[in-house]
Amino acid sequence: MAPSWKLLRQSLADVAVPPLLIKYEVGASNYKLWLTDLTHIWAETLAQRPLVQRAWEIDSEIDPIEIDQRERLLRHIKDALDEVKGTKLVLSNENVSNRLTLKGKCPLPKPLKPLIWPFRLLLEPQSTLTNELILPLMAQQLAMCNQVSLLLATIKDKDHVIGKLTDKIQSEGVDLGKVFPSVASSKHGSKAKVREHLAKSVPGLGVFNKDHFESQGPQELDVSGSTVDLLSQLSVNANGLTSFNMIQQSTLGAWWEDLGAEGALEADEKQDFSGSFSQHS
């Protein structure tokens, strides 16, 4: 299954950081990671050999030279990306041109020190944003339109069947109260009125109104609020974003230049996280 985009919730700890989306693939001996603010995109692909080298570089308690330990290391890396309880993700800028560092902290069984893994994300060309986010969104939009068309056709067919059933009920002189206990007894009226009468107590039996259905779409978002509040209204599933209205571009810009080495983390967490990371620097 294709990797899904999700909101990087840890990045919202500092309101100076715009809402960020992340997606990743973690294999048996490698991983791929993408991060975007919907204007720029950063990525890292780490194969087996550089994965082992980085584990040695940060003095990881897990030595991934053996297959089972490598798989164990990647499970903990994925836990951090999944933001499993007890893990942390911190985004930082260590003054390296075109690069962001996403530090993932994952606890290990005592007496082992926590795993502090640096994801080193390089700024990618605009074509990567197109291929990884925009085109999948367009493909999903087309798929959703096709699904809606199929759904409307199915409802139309069911409407026809329901109409036939209500006509039969009327022609047989059946008391509606016996068929639908919530409906007041009635044997009279035109075919249209019988269906209308049923719909008052059993909405699912009413004639489907396509125009009313289409008018019930998402309302326009109020863009006067913060970008964080806006992005919290995004819906994400396995194929990507299902809705996106508007993000105030004025809050973006080169926001990563203001992150610093500590990253976007609340004040009461900075000392704990940076102290842990320094053990592996």
Side-chain angles (χ1 to χ4, degrees):
M1 179 169 40
S4 61
W5 286 100
K6 71 169 188 174
L7 188 64
L8 182 62
R9 302 190 183 282
Q10 292 290 350
S11 69
L12 305 182
D14 189 333
V15 294
V17 177
L20 301 172
L21 298 176
I22 186 173
K23 75 171 181 176
Y24 45 88
E25 290 182 278
V26 179
S29 59
N30 58 73
Y31 67 76
K32 297 179 181 179
L33 175 66
W34 299 265
L35 176 78
T36 182
D37 62 1
L38 302 181
T39 302
H40 312 84
I41 188 167
W42 295 260
E44 180 182 48
T45 299
L46 209 61
Q48 177 177 320
R49 181 172 294 180
L51 179 81
V52 172
Q53 291 173 340
R54 186 169 303 174
W56 291 344
E57 172 193 332
I58 65 171
D59 193 24
S60 169
E61 296 275 11
I62 302 174
D63 186 349
I65 196 65
E66 300 293 336
I67 295 177
D68 60 333
Q69 291 301 297
R70 187 161 58 249
E71 292 178 346
R72 180 188 176 199
L73 174 65
L74 284 162
R75 281 197 301 271
H76 286 295
I77 287 174
K78 186 176 185 301
D79 283 346
L81 292 172
D82 288 342
E83 298 181 89
V84 171
K85 185 177 180 180
T87 65
K88 291 180 184 177
L89 286 175
V90 178
L91 193 63
S92 64
N93 179 355
E94 298 179 338
N95 297 319
V96 178
S97 178
N98 296 330
R99 193 180 87 185
L100 290 175
T101 299
L102 183 65
K103 302 171 186 175
K105 178 180 179 180
C106 186
L108 299 178
K110 294 182 179 180
L112 302 179
K113 295 179 294 185
L115 172 67
I116 310 293
W117 189 265
F119 301 95
R120 293 164 184 161
L121 304 161
L122 293 178
L123 185 63
E124 295 282 315
Q126 197 69 23
S127 59
T128 302
L129 184 66
T130 300
N131 293 331
E132 296 298 335
L133 180 63
I134 297 174
L135 290 180
L137 280 176
M138 294 176 66
Q140 187 191 8
Q141 180 66 22
L142 177 61
M144 291 179 65
C145 288
N146 290 336
Q147 287 178 334
V148 170
S149 296
L150 179 60
L151 175 62
L152 292 176
T154 302
I155 292 174
K156 182 178 179 180
D157 290 341
K158 289 183 178 292
D159 241 5
H160 179 71
V161 173
I162 292 172
K164 289 289 187 180
L165 290 174
T166 54
D167 291 349
K168 184 66 174 177
I169 288 173
Q170 184 185 30
S171 64
E172 294 289 336
V174 177
D175 186 344
L176 295 177
K178 294 181 178 179
V179 181
F180 304 103
S182 61
V183 177
S185 296
S186 175
K187 298 182 180 179
H188 306 290
S190 66
K191 293 179 180 180
K193 287 189 175 297
V194 169
R195 185 107 183 246
E196 182 180 341
H197 181 69
L198 286 170
K200 289 179 181 179
S201 300
V202 188
L205 295 177
V207 177
F208 178 69
N209 187 326
K210 180 182 176 183
D211 292 336
H212 177 72
F213 167 77
E214 292 177 340
S215 71
Q216 300 303 301
Q219 301 299 311
E220 184 177 354
L221 286 177
D222 176 9
V223 298
S224 61
S226 71
T227 305
V228 171
D229 291 334
L230 285 174
L231 196 57
S232 69
Q233 299 179 54
L234 285 175
S235 175
V236 184
N237 71 10
N239 294 315
L241 299 176
T242 60
S243 65
F244 173 69
N245 287 281
M246 186 177 292
I247 286 186
Q248 291 173 294
Q249 296 297 316
S250 61
T251 64
L252 299 179
W255 52 267
W256 54 90
E257 294 179 357
D258 299 324
L259 282 179
E262 288 185 314
L265 194 64
E266 293 178 351
D268 60 345
E269 295 179 337
K270 284 182 178 178
Q271 184 175 2
D272 171 67
F273 197 97
S274 60
S276 298
F277 188 78
S278 65
Q279 298 173 12
H280 297 265
S281 299

